[in-house]
């Protein structure tokens, strides 16, 4: 459990809150590249960390993420014309560039210099790995670009999607490090999903339903090891990295692409669940990409034209009691992503952690919360840069491997846990 | 029409969740396995707890050295007041057991506690606390000793994590 104040501390990420300050230390995924496909395309509304913003690509392809509302009288610039290197407000014609700088106030003589006095808040927006990333903190503290492996491999080796989740970010992220739910909630999918099935390691998951856990801090966050019994005096280890504040990696299966998530707060009652899938050494096959686009694996099918899952709270997530009863799905909901989302949204917009009853195997969640609170406190009180800002902390990999029983996974899997260019993932 | 699920997952509906307590007090036993962790456990024990009991060492009779199981198990936990308490009885009256060990220290006594836990089907959480001078090899060694016995094995940052964890577990 958490005390009420602690729950509020961890779940509130708006401007001026301690966790809000913490999030504003990192580059975070803001949009998919496909959302701003070409120069002068339609601008896109973006809400992040409780701030309403607008993203656009100008005539020269430059990216901007600026305050959504016109500085003149507060009109949403979503209605603006994206033309000649800037967004022109359709109300009175004021124009803003990608840095938020007002460059034209038609009612005032250009020579008056009035436009120079007006500037909307703007954040940098960079493109990497098919994702547009932003940094919302003070410019003088802007860290080097993110180096997560999925965004540094060639574009034909990586695929990202995002879906809106109607819950606070923390309960979503906690699902990503809660390794003990997999044997229940996702039980049906190991054998059937095209992006999971067929891996040699799957038999250990299905053969030993009570994994034992080990948790260690890493420089950027945590390493959560789950081990199951395997033949020849070995253990089958699945190791999940968490990089602060909201990146998680799912341990791989066979030669399937590796996947994981980013959980990015939109406001305190909703977040973006980002899902990446990549292979370190080979292009994704057409079949894999087709499956990902079709919502298989950790991805979802959408309501057409949106990033809202097709199965959502408005249609009871297409609950199928018959499949639940027959055991084809454990919860009656189809697809790994929606199995998680449906339950996490059911906790309510902000989960009340004063009522929960955690057990020993929930230590991953306990430790993540503890690290987040400790880091936010050190940042706010002493200006200490939190773990996970340094791009070296991003170069961690998830792994699945067999180790002798006496071996320590933090050592036995040391190499496997480092992202190395051109080196295949460690997976069974 | 709005689905039932959409209607009940609003913030407003969250406020109607029943406010009655949904669990009873836990009996958690926290055992330090060496002198260094004893001082951490002693420090943590001073906070207000819901019934957690803290022990600073384990002693055993010579015919009950690590490896002894079942009826032959004769070992005692020393509480903060210095009194000896029967290990098996303490474990029997617990909901779960937490052991704390400093990296590199002798953690073999854990096997006796694990035996007592096995006897009464209690789960065991083991925390390894590295000191400022601890090497990776020492952490590794402690992990290797503890691995066969714990359902959850954690490398903890220090007393602050021990108390955060116990609070989270309503100890
Ligand atoms: S069993 Fe874990 S939330 Fe219900
Ligand atoms: Fe899940």
């Amino acid at each position: 459990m958490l005390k009420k104040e602690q729950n509020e501390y961890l779940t509130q990420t708006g401007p001026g809150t301690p966790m809000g300050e913490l999030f504003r230390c990192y580059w975070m995924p803001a949009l998919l590249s496909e959302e701003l496909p070409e120069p002068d395309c339609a601008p896109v509304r973006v809400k992040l960390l409780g701030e309403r913003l607008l993203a656009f690509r100008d005539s020269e392809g430059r990216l901007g993420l600026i305050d959504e509302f016109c500085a003149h009288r507060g009109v949403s610039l979503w209605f603006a014309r994206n033309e000649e290197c800037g967004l022109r407000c359709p109300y009175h014609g004021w124009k803003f560039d990608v840095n938020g700088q007002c460059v034209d106030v038609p009612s005032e003589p250009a020579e008056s210099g009035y436009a120079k006095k007006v500037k909307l808040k703007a954040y940098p927006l960079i493109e990497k790995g098919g994702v547009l990333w932003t940094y919302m903190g003070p410019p003088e503290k802007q860290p080097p670009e993110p180096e997560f492996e999925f965004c540094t491999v060639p574009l034909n080796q990586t695929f990202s999607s995002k879906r809106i989740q109607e819950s606070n970010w923390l309960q979503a992220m906690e699902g990503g490090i809660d390794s003990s739910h997999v044997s229940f909630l996702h039980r049906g999918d190991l054998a059937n999903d095209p992006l999971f099935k067929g891996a040699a390691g799957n038999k250990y998951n299905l053969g030993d339903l009570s994994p034992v856990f080990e948790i260690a801090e890493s420089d950027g966050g945590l390493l959560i090891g789950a081990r199951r019994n395997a033949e020849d005096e070995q253990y089958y280890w699945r190791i999940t990295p968490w990089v602060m504040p909201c990146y998680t990696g799912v341990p791989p299966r066979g030669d399937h692409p590796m996947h994981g998530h980013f959980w990015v707060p939109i406001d305190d009652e909703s977040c973006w669940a980002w899902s990446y899938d990549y292979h370190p050494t080979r292009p994704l096959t057409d079949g894999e990409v087709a499956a990902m686009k079709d919502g298989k694996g950790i991805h979802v099918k959408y309501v057409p034209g949106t990033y809202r899952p097709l199965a959502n709270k408005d249609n009871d997530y297409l609950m199928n009691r018959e499949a639940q009863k027959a055991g084809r799905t454990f919860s009656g909901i189809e697809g790994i992503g929606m199995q998680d989302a449906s339950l996490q949204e059911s906790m309510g917009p902000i989960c009340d952690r004063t009522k929960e009853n955690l057990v020993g195997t929930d230590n991953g969640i306990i430790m993540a919360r503890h690290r987040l609170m400790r880091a936010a406190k050190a940042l706010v009180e002493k200006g200490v840069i939190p773990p996970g800002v340094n791009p070296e902390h991003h170069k961690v990999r998830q792994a699945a491997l067999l180790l002798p029983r006496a071996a320590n996974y933090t050592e036995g899997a040391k190499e496997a846990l480092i992202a190395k260019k051109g080196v295949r993932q460690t997976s069974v | 029409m709005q689905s039932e699920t959409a209607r009940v997952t609003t913030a407003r509906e969250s406020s109607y969740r029943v406010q009655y307590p949904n669990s009873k007090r836990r009996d958690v036993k926290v055992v330090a396995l060496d002198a260094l962790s004893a001082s951490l456990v002693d420090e943590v024990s001073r906070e207000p707890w819901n019934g957690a009991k803290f022990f600073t060492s384990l002693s055993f009779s010579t015919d009950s050295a690590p490896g002894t199981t079942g009826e032959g198990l004769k070992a005692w936990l020393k509480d903060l007041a210095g009194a000896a308490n029967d290990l098996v009885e303490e474990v029997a009256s617990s909901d779960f057991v937490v052991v704390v060990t400093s990296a590199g220290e002798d953690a073999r006594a854990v096997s006796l506690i694990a035996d007592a836990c096995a006897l009464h089907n209690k789960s065991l959480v083991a925390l390894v606390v590295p000191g400022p001078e601890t090497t990776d090899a020492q952490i590794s060694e402690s992990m290797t000793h503890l691995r066969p016995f714990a359902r959850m094995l954690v490398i903890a940052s220090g007393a602050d994590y021990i108390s955060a964890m116990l609070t989270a577990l309503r100890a």
Side-chain angles (χ1 to χ4, degrees):
Chain A
M1 59 150 287
L2 285 179
K3 297 185 184 111
K4 186 166 174 284
E5 322 78 76
Q6 293 175 317
N7 200 37
E8 286 165 1
Y9 192 93
L10 282 168
T11 52
Q12 297 174 357
T13 59
T17 60
M19 278 303 291
E21 296 295 298
L22 183 86
F23 267 96
R24 284 167 176 78
C25 292
Y26 301 88
W27 285 101
M28 285 177 306
L31 302 104
L32 286 160
S33 294
E34 68 182 27
E35 294 180 78
L36 295 177
E38 63 197 20
D40 285 341
C41 60
V44 177
R45 291 187 185 101
V46 177
K47 193 191 326 171
L48 288 175
L49 307 181
E51 296 186 40
R52 292 267 306 259
L53 305 163
L54 193 71
F56 69 109
R57 205 185 275 270
D58 77 5
S59 316
E60 277 162 14
R62 281 177 302 205
L63 291 161
L65 184 64
I66 66 173
D67 181 348
E68 182 189 331
F69 300 98
C70 181
H72 182 209
R73 292 189 50 225
V75 162
S76 170
L77 292 169
W78 180 80
F79 292 92
R81 304 171 58 88
N82 189 0
E83 59 186 20
E84 291 159 14
C85 288
L87 286 181
R88 192 178 289 282
C89 179
Y91 211 1
H92 311 93
W94 289 31
K95 186 172 175 184
F96 302 89
D97 69 12
V98 288
N99 300 314
Q101 181 61 52
C102 182
V103 290
D104 192 15
V105 176
S107 60
E108 303 299 304
E111 304 72 43
S112 75
Y114 185 84
K116 285 205 191 76
K117 296 274 164 72
V118 179
K119 189 171 188 294
L120 293 172
K121 181 70 192 164
Y123 298 115
L125 193 63
I126 58 168
E127 188 160 15
K128 209 164 183 188
V131 174
L132 307 182
W133 304 73
T134 189
Y135 163 77
M136 294 171 63
E140 69 279 7
K141 291 197 176 148
Q142 181 176 317
E145 292 184 7
E147 293 284 350
F148 295 96
E149 194 176 26
F150 79 90
C151 70
T152 58
V153 295
L155 281 178
N156 63 358
Q157 292 175 209
T158 188
F159 176 92
S160 290
S161 72
K162 65 173 194 177
R163 63 172 167 79
I164 194 157
Q165 176 155 334
E166 295 170 64
S167 82
N168 183 262
W169 78 281
L170 185 64
Q171 65 214 57
M173 191 280 282
E174 287 175 348
I177 51 176
D178 170 9
S179 310
S180 69
H181 80 280
V182 181
S183 310
F184 288 90
L185 182 59
H186 307 312
R187 192 177 280 185
D189 298 271
L190 273 189
N192 300 320
D193 193 284
L195 297 167
F196 289 87
K197 67 180 181 190
N202 293 359
K203 68 167 186 265
Y204 305 116
N205 277 83
L206 299 168
D208 181 353
L209 291 179
S210 45
V212 177
F213 298 96
E214 294 189 15
I215 305 198
E217 291 193 5
S218 61
D219 292 341
L222 297 177
L223 293 169
I224 300 159
R227 71 171 158 81
R228 292 175 170 82
N229 294 321
E231 63 281 312
D232 301 333
E233 289 300 297
Q234 296 179 103
Y235 286 127
Y236 169 64
W237 284 95
R238 294 181 58 73
I239 304 163
T240 300
W242 169 64
V243 179
M244 282 182 56
C246 62
Y247 169 92
T248 55
V250 179
R253 297 193 180 276
D255 194 48
H256 289 304
M258 293 208 283
H259 48 252
H261 305 277
F262 256 104
W263 316 92
V264 180
I266 294 173
D267 53 32
D268 293 342
E269 301 191 350
S270 58
C271 66
W272 285 114
W274 283 83
S275 300
Y276 65 80
D277 237 309
Y278 74 102
H279 197 289
T281 57
R282 66 160 171 85
L284 303 180
T285 66
D286 292 347
E288 285 166 348
V289 174
M292 291 165 194
K293 287 188 173 159
D294 190 38
K296 295 289 191 289
I298 57 170
H299 307 279
V300 299
K301 283 192 172 68
Y302 298 111
V303 172
T306 73
Y307 292 104
R308 189 170 196 227
L310 190 59
N312 57 54
K313 57 162 73 166
D314 292 339
N315 52 29
D316 293 330
Y317 306 94
L318 307 174
M319 164 61 88
N320 183 341
R321 295 285 179 193
E322 199 257 322
Q324 185 185 44
K325 203 162 244 166
R328 288 197 302 282
T329 54
F330 193 69
S331 76
I333 308 295
E334 180 111 14
I336 292 167
M338 291 321 297
Q339 285 160 3
D340 286 324
S342 55
L343 298 185
Q344 291 158 9
E345 291 181 359
S346 81
M347 294 166 151
I350 303 175
C351 179
D352 177 3
R353 292 177 179 76
T354 64
K355 295 196 69 189
E356 68 185 6
N357 288 282
L358 299 183
V359 289
T361 48
D362 291 318
N363 255 283
I365 289 172
I366 299 171
M367 198 180 265
R369 292 176 187 171
H370 182 64
R371 277 209 94 172
L372 285 166
M373 286 192 279
R374 219 171 53 189
K377 195 160 179 281
L379 171 72
V380 173
E381 289 175 5
K382 302 196 192 96
V384 178
I385 296 174
V389 169
N390 181 344
E392 289 307 312
H393 298 172
H394 306 169
K395 298 176 184 170
V396 58
R397 258 188 200 170
Q398 48 271 62
L401 71 172
L402 291 164
L403 287 175
R405 296 212 167 173
N408 203 349
Y409 78 89
T410 45
E411 263 165 53
K414 200 173 204 146
E415 294 300 309
L417 293 169
I418 303 170
K420 285 198 207 85
K421 208 173 165 196
V423 177
R424 195 186 163 275
Q425 68 269 41
T426 302
S427 175
V428 275
Chain B
M1 207 183 73
Q2 231 188 359
S3 77
E4 184 78 356
T5 311
R7 211 173 51 71
V8 298
T9 44
T10 58
R12 190 179 146 81
E13 281 297 320
S14 294
S15 68
Y16 294 116
R17 293 190 177 207
V18 295
Q19 289 306 322
Y20 298 99
N22 59 11
S23 63
K24 295 198 185 123
R25 205 194 69 158
R26 318 287 198 271
D27 283 304
V28 184
K29 313 286 158 120
V30 183
V31 184
L33 293 181
D34 53 72
L36 279 171
S37 44
S39 67
L40 292 179
V41 164
D42 184 29
E43 184 187 332
V44 170
S45 72
R46 289 168 211 205
E47 295 166 36
W49 297 104
N50 297 319
K53 255 178 103 175
F54 297 86
F55 303 97
T56 51
S57 68
L58 174 80
S59 54
F60 42 85
S61 69
T62 41
D63 54 343
S64 180
T68 317
T69 48
E71 297 299 294
L73 200 57
K74 278 271 163 293
W76 299 271
L77 294 168
K78 192 167 108 189
D79 63 26
L80 296 163
N85 304 262
D86 186 79
L87 168 68
V88 178
E89 276 171 29
E90 287 298 333
V91 170
S93 65
S94 74
D95 292 298
F96 60 90
V97 178
V98 176
V99 296
V100 184
T101 168
S102 311
E105 294 295 311
D106 184 355
R108 278 174 299 172
V110 75
S111 71
L112 283 178
I113 300 175
D115 288 340
C117 287
L119 203 60
H120 292 281
N121 279 312
K122 307 291 179 183
S123 71
L124 181 64
V125 175
L127 304 182
V128 179
V129 186
E133 318 265 88
T134 314
T135 63
D136 285 354
Q138 287 173 312
I139 296 178
S140 218
E141 201 184 306
S142 299
M143 302 284 280
T144 306
H145 280 308
L146 296 167
R147 179 163 299 121
F149 307 111
R151 287 207 61 74
M152 173 53 91
L153 182 49
V154 182
I155 305 176
S157 50
D160 63 332
Y161 187 71
I162 303 174
S163 77
M165 184 194 77
L166 293 174
T167 306
L169 297 176
R170 299 177 181 272

